[in-house]
Amino acid sequence: MAAKYILALLAAVFLAASVWRMSRENFKPGPASRTWLLVAVIFGLVSGWLWWSGTSAAG
């Protein structure tokens, strides 16, 4: 499986984890939910770059 698909999936998982964590904190972003969100954004940006460039990090 290409890295762009894996990173997109991981970005969605981390985004869901962030939203779930914020829902437990009455939608006030605490340190844990901000960390999950930051990781989701990073994975999303890398995946987006791979999609845009038309390459795969796997080679």
Side-chain angles (χ1 to χ4, degrees):
M1 187 183 278
K4 61 185 175 183
Y5 300 120
I6 295 170
L7 290 174
L9 177 67
L10 286 174
V13 168
F14 282 112
L15 182 62
S18 173
V19 170
W20 177 71
R21 180 72 182 200
M22 281 195 296
S23 71
R24 291 180 49 200
E25 300 169 345
N26 294 325
F27 291 98
K28 295 179 184 175
S33 57
R34 284 190 304 233
T35 302
W36 290 115
L37 186 59
L38 178 64
V39 172
V41 168
I42 291 170
F43 281 164
L45 287 174
V46 173
S47 175
W49 175 260
L50 291 174
W51 277 92
W52 182 72
S53 67
T55 60
S56 173

